[in-house]
Amino acid sequence: MRTQVGIIGSGPAGLLLARLLHLQGIDTVIVENRSRDYVLGRIRAGVIEQGMADLLREAKAGERMDREGLIHEGINIAFDGRLERLDFPEHTNGKVVMVYGQTEITHDLMKAHIDEAGGIVHFDAPAIKVEGSDTDSPRILYEQNGRRRELVCDFVAGCDGYHGVARRSLPADKIKTFEKTYPFSWLGILSDVPPVMDELLYAHHARGFALCSMRSHTRSRYYVQCNTDDNVNNWSDDAFWDELRRRLPSDTADSVTTGARLEMSITPLHSFVAEPMRFGRLFLAGDAAHIVPPIGAKGLNLAASDVYYLARALLAYYKEKRTDLLDRYSDTALRRVWKAIRFSWWYTSLLHKFDDDPMSRRLQISELDYLTASDAGQTMFAENYVGLPFEKFE
Ligand code: FAD
Ligand code: DHB
């Protein structure tokens, strides 16, 4: 089988790329390890930056997001017995974020790309490796129904997440990796209860970090910092709600509505970057090339900014025979990636409990005091949270 752009992975990066290319008349085939239902069942990110929302509209997959997504103009931070709000529009010339789940985005992209446009996605078809990325005809070797198959392409996009095969298909001496593991994880619950506040609440507490997020007016997503060796089986629903409430200001804790879990999971935290993001005709995008700790909700949004650059570079190649944007893809994408890696690392360090050292805790509180009172601090926070602009790329 042959296609113009072979894509490994039908997460947000792979689907969005396929959709944007399809709208420009460029053929793609996606091979996906898992079933469609499995991919749609994963509970992940929930905050969409304006750049990603615009890209979903460009992909003609933003209609439901615009109808059902919640526009948020700020966040709340609790620390040292105080509750402060940081406003976005005031510090970013009117920018906001959209609260709309990754699960819904994946659903909307699959409907538009597969059900309506007839785009080809082979589910239950794990890629084994990419060959010939330094030739004009790179190949994805994959398995389907127990048989080995080959997809010959002009280009391969490795959108197969952190554990995928695209990055691993390259010789180790061609890739430089940077990695940081944090000494804690997040325990998250999804429940059909109304959110405790209208906007997200990030809480710094002596017992550890907590986050009150949401997916809609009737569905909440809450997290508490936990140990890396913790296990969801150690947590009843009641134990989760008790621990969450202990970490919130008392008025807020009293108004938390509790309910049965729809899902509960533990997410380890780490930062990871692989450089470069391009090898010959193989391009990495999204989690295949980089991971951020979840705070600040940058992972999904970075996958979208990679796709923004990659789709434009491929379009310039097919429509104008230009290769300069393909050549610049890795450097341009990585500049934005590193800024998000920095922000996520800083925000993680600001709000989590690392140890029992009282000095570290007082330094965090002092920084939070500065951040929430300073106009410069609020501007730095707001412009990173709503998402740094995509570089001009044409
Ligand atoms: P993925 O969504 O990982 O998609 C990769 C796809 O490739 C998957 O469908 C996978 O099945 C497929 N694949 C893998 N290997 C192969 C193979 N060999 N062959 C074929 N297909 C393959 N981000 C936030 O911003 N906020 C959050 O709260 C948040 N929570 C998260 C919680 C968890 C548990 C995880 C894992 C991630 C979370 N993230 C969060 C990160 C965010 O979900 C990711 O950054 C985002 O999914 C990246 O999209 P992607 O398309 O690059 O990768
Ligand atoms: C969510 C996760 C985050 O890390 C964050 O900063 C905001 C929201 C969420 O899953 O809803």
Side-chain angles (χ1 to χ4, degrees):
M1 198 178 9
R2 201 186 154 94
T3 190
Q4 288 178 302
V5 181
I7 300 175
I8 313 178
S10 73
L15 286 167
L16 187 55
L17 180 65
R19 180 76 189 137
L20 290 168
L21 295 179
H22 173 84
L23 290 173
Q24 299 293 337
I26 299 167
D27 287 340
T28 64
V29 171
I30 301 182
V31 294
E32 163 61 47
N33 196 5
R34 305 287 195 162
S35 69
R36 181 170 174 161
D37 284 348
Y38 182 94
V39 174
L40 283 171
R42 287 190 294 228
I43 308 296
R44 290 182 168 180
V47 178
I48 311 303
E49 296 171 357
Q50 206 152 307
M52 176 165 194
D54 288 343
L55 203 56
L56 286 164
R57 292 180 191 116
E58 185 181 320
K60 301 199 190 318
E63 213 174 276
R64 193 162 68 99
M65 171 190 73
D66 281 328
R67 224 174 33 242
E68 296 177 13
L70 309 176
I71 290 175
H72 281 204
E73 298 193 344
I75 54 115
N76 304 289
I77 300 194
F79 64 98
D80 202 25
R82 292 162 54 184
L83 182 59
E84 302 288 346
R85 180 173 182 275
L86 297 177
D87 188 89
F88 304 146
E90 191 186 329
H91 297 286
T92 59
N93 278 329
K95 293 209 175 113
V96 294
V97 294
M98 177 85 81
V99 170
Y100 188 66
Q102 177 169 336
T103 317
E104 309 309 320
I105 291 173
T106 310
H107 182 278
D108 297 347
L109 284 167
M110 282 188 180
K111 182 163 169 268
H113 184 62
I114 307 171
D115 304 337
E116 291 168 9
I120 302 173
V121 182
H122 296 301
F123 288 102
D124 297 307
I128 312 298
K129 65 175 166 176
V130 180
E131 284 186 348
S133 44
D134 53 351
T135 71
D136 286 348
S137 303
R139 297 173 302 284
I140 301 172
L141 305 185
Y142 67 102
E143 264 176 23
Q144 199 175 25
N145 301 324
R147 291 184 53 194
R148 282 275 174 130
R149 292 174 192 270
E150 188 178 86
L151 178 63
V152 182
C153 319
D154 295 342
F155 298 97
V156 172
C159 302
D160 48 352
Y162 179 67
H163 298 289
V165 296
R167 192 180 72 247
R168 289 165 215 277
S169 299
L170 289 149
D173 63 345
K174 294 261 188 297
I175 189 159
K176 190 169 166 106
T177 59
F178 302 83
E179 191 150 20
K180 184 173 187 59
T181 301
Y182 299 85
F184 37 73
S185 296
W186 279 18
L187 173 69
I189 198 170
L190 184 74
S191 183
D192 272 338
V193 290
V196 67
M197 294 184 81
D198 290 341
E199 293 173 332
L200 272 56
L201 169 62
Y202 292 85
H204 174 269
H205 193 273
R207 293 180 69 88
F209 168 75
L211 167 61
C212 304
S213 181
M214 65 191 74
R215 292 291 177 271
S216 68
H217 291 306
T218 54
R219 182 168 288 185
S220 298
R221 180 76 163 154
Y222 293 113
Y223 300 95
V224 293
Q225 175 182 346
C226 66
N227 292 332
T228 46
D229 58 359
D230 213 334
N231 187 307
V232 281
N233 298 326
N234 297 335
W235 290 84
S236 65
D237 291 357
D238 284 346
F240 181 91
W241 294 116
D242 287 346
E243 187 57 38
L244 175 73
R245 283 185 294 212
R246 278 191 204 110
R247 299 182 188 190
L248 302 179
S250 54
D251 284 359
T252 315
D254 289 345
S255 29
V256 171
T257 308
T258 63
R261 76 180 76 176
L262 294 172
E263 188 254 13
M264 189 186 269
S265 53
I266 290 185
T267 306
L269 272 64
H270 65 280
S271 305
F272 170 83
V273 184
E275 291 184 348
M277 288 169 60
R278 181 242 177 127
F279 307 85
R281 287 183 170 238
L282 168 61
F283 294 80
L284 301 178
D287 280 15
H290 41 73
I291 299 281
V292 288
I295 196 167
K298 293 291 168 226
L300 171 61
N301 291 293
L302 276 184
S305 65
D306 291 350
V307 167
Y308 170 89
Y309 296 125
L310 186 53
R312 275 156 178 74
L314 289 166
L315 192 62
Y317 173 85
Y318 283 110
K319 300 287 176 204
E320 301 168 50
K321 299 258 175 292
R322 283 172 56 188
T323 55
D324 57 319
L325 294 190
L326 291 169
D327 293 340
R328 275 163 40 206
Y329 167 72
S330 178
D331 286 348
T332 310
L334 280 167
R335 264 197 300 278
R336 195 169 185 284
V337 165
W338 273 109
K339 289 183 192 119
I341 293 273
R342 183 211 70 83
F343 176 70
S344 308
W345 159 80
W346 167 79
Y347 199 24
T348 302
S349 311
L350 181 65
L351 288 179
H352 288 77
K353 178 180 176 172
F354 281 74
D355 51 36
D356 289 322
D357 175 24
M359 177 80 180
S360 309
R361 186 171 142 68
R362 289 303 289 266
L363 286 170
Q364 287 175 321
I365 290 172
S366 170
E367 187 166 357
L368 283 161
D369 190 26
Y370 167 75
L371 175 73
T372 52
S374 148
D375 214 43
Q378 291 178 56
T379 301
M380 181 285 287
F381 183 87
E383 66 185 14
N384 279 282
Y385 196 98
V386 301
L388 296 173
F390 296 167
E391 274 181 42
K392 234 174 143 39
F393 197 61
E394 47 196 40

